Amino acid sequence: MAQRTDPEHPGASVVTNYTYGRSVEEAATKARKVLERPDGLYGDQGMYRVVEVVEESPSSELRQQEGARRRYLTTILENAITTVRGREPDNPDAGLVSRLDDFFTRAVTFPDPHSSGAHPRPHQATFGWTSEPPGIQHASDPGRALALFLLAYLDHHGLDLTAASAPGYLNREGRHPADHDGAEEGSEASPGLIERTLAVCEQHYTAVTGADSTQWDRELSHELVGVALRTVRLADREAYPQALEEYLVENRARLEKLWRVYGPAGVFPQGVYHLVELPESFVLCERIDNAPRWLKGVWGRECESDTPLERLEEAWRYGTSEGDGR
């Protein structure tokens, strides 16, 4: 790789020459023999000088991508600092800045949750790269710069961040927190909760499909509802059947379309979208919308094949919207 030495030279700022050789040294020697002549690209009269010699291999693309990513982050950092300088918000809340720094670090600086290093536990939200133990925050210069940038932007427009209230079904009067006896997130749900959740599914499934409950495999239904409930946080489980009820009412039209298009009388061969023919598909749809990665993780450990869930997710996400053409 050669870089232009004279800014006024009309050629490219950087040029790359490829030479085949049995080693980097041999390839570099061959390149110089041709290009370092007095009238050559790298010669005394030339306008370029060699700045890097690398061996192309399967890892080269990753190296180049990482270099591009670092240059991109440098640009983000410089632009954010330049924009905010002189407009910094007065006395920003340290906790809020830290949380926003954490967000931008996960979303922009280190956005790949599948990279090497620590990985999230199944019950942890995978907002970008996540580490152990639960709750640890990640900071970076670009993340902090973007956090201050956002706060300055909101302040410029007279806006402020306020704490969002929890959904109504989590704050109902008379709700008693369940005693989980030290249970961990992702643990099995109680038989009573499984039964209550399945009852909600069956009620709405019958209303949507008109299916006869005597045809259902209740043992399988209990098993799959149990899988879904593993992805409900312990603090939310007691109120979950009511939350599911509200979700199913709100998404009634989508559920009807799911049955019409993907059910046994739909346009696809029977059995292709097997889960659609089961009442527990309704709780799975809710989990696909609200805990997709956690659900995939639990499903992958508890069930023999990922295909049924993948097909249900495909149908629910992309086949039930108003504009999908069906």
Side-chain angles (χ1 to χ4, degrees):
M1 181 180 296
Q3 191 172 55
R4 186 176 59 192
T5 58
D6 183 357
E8 300 301 322
H9 182 60
S13 59
V14 176
V15 295
T16 301
N17 292 280
Y18 294 90
T19 305
Y20 292 96
R22 288 170 293 184
S23 67
V24 173
E25 292 77 11
E26 179 182 323
T29 299
K30 291 172 63 177
R32 288 193 175 99
K33 184 177 180 180
V34 175
L35 301 171
E36 287 187 346
R37 295 178 303 205
D39 59 343
L41 188 64
Y42 303 160
D44 294 338
Q45 304 302 316
M47 294 295 179
Y48 292 87
R49 63 183 179 87
V50 177
V51 293
E52 184 178 12
V53 179
V54 296
E55 178 182 5
E56 289 296 332
S57 67
S59 63
S60 299
E61 183 178 358
L62 296 177
R63 175 182 56 78
Q64 294 166 5
Q65 289 177 349
E66 177 60 18
R69 188 183 74 85
R70 290 179 180 275
R71 291 191 296 272
Y72 175 65
L73 290 175
T74 299
T75 302
I76 288 177
L77 178 60
E78 293 175 347
N79 289 345
I81 291 176
T82 300
T83 303
V84 175
R85 186 177 292 121
R87 307 176 186 177
E88 295 87 349
D90 295 330
N91 302 316
D93 181 83
L96 178 58
V97 172
S98 177
R99 186 61 59 86
L100 291 175
D101 182 357
D102 174 60
F103 168 76
F104 285 117
T105 298
R106 296 174 190 270
V108 178
T109 309
F110 300 109
D112 187 1
H114 305 295
S115 60
S116 59
H119 292 273
R121 293 177 179 174
H123 69 276
Q124 291 177 284
T126 312
F127 296 121
W129 190 89
T130 311
S131 184
E132 305 285 358
I136 189 171
Q137 290 191 340
H138 306 292
S140 67
D141 288 340
R144 180 174 176 79
L146 288 172
L148 294 175
F149 189 6
L150 174 61
L151 293 178
Y153 179 84
L154 294 175
D155 181 68
H156 174 74
H157 289 281
L159 303 173
D160 195 7
L161 294 178
T162 58
S165 59
Y169 60 79
L170 296 181
N171 293 305
R172 296 185 185 280
E173 295 182 1
R175 174 188 170 188
H176 301 286
D179 180 5
H180 299 291
D181 297 325
E184 295 183 354
E185 297 286 5
S187 60
E188 292 184 8
S190 67
L193 179 59
I194 292 176
E195 192 64 43
R196 288 163 53 207
T197 302
L198 179 57
V200 173
C201 291
E202 291 177 341
Q203 175 188 348
H204 286 268
Y205 193 81
T206 298
V208 168
T209 70
D212 184 355
S213 61
T214 60
Q215 302 174 0
W216 299 332
D217 183 342
R218 292 192 62 81
E219 182 177 351
L220 176 61
S221 294
H222 279 84
E223 179 182 343
L224 295 183
V225 170
V227 169
L229 289 175
R230 280 181 176 271
T231 68
V232 177
R233 297 189 181 279
L234 294 176
D236 299 336
R237 287 188 179 182
E238 186 67 20
Y240 181 73
Q242 179 61 39
L244 178 62
E245 172 85 25
E246 296 176 4
Y247 173 87
L248 297 180
V249 169
E250 181 180 349
N251 289 275
R252 176 64 178 268
R254 290 181 66 194
L255 294 168
E256 292 175 345
K257 190 168 189 178
L258 180 72
W259 175 255
R260 184 172 66 253
V261 177
Y262 297 93
V267 298
F268 298 94
Q270 189 168 354
V272 172
Y273 292 90
H274 173 64
L275 288 179
V276 176
E277 302 174 24
L278 305 174
E280 56 269 27
S281 63
F282 280 18
V283 68
L284 292 174
C285 288
E286 188 278 332
R287 293 287 80 195
I288 286 171
D289 272 352
N290 295 305
R293 292 187 177 179
W294 195 358
L295 178 62
K296 287 180 181 178
V298 174
W299 186 281
R301 293 193 305 272
E302 301 290 333
C303 303
E304 294 181 357
S305 172
D306 294 334
T307 302
L309 180 63
E310 291 173 350
R311 289 178 174 172
L312 177 63
E313 180 177 13
E314 173 193 35
W316 183 242
R317 285 186 180 277
Y318 309 112
T320 63
S321 61
E322 292 182 358
D324 67 358
R326 296 192 179 111

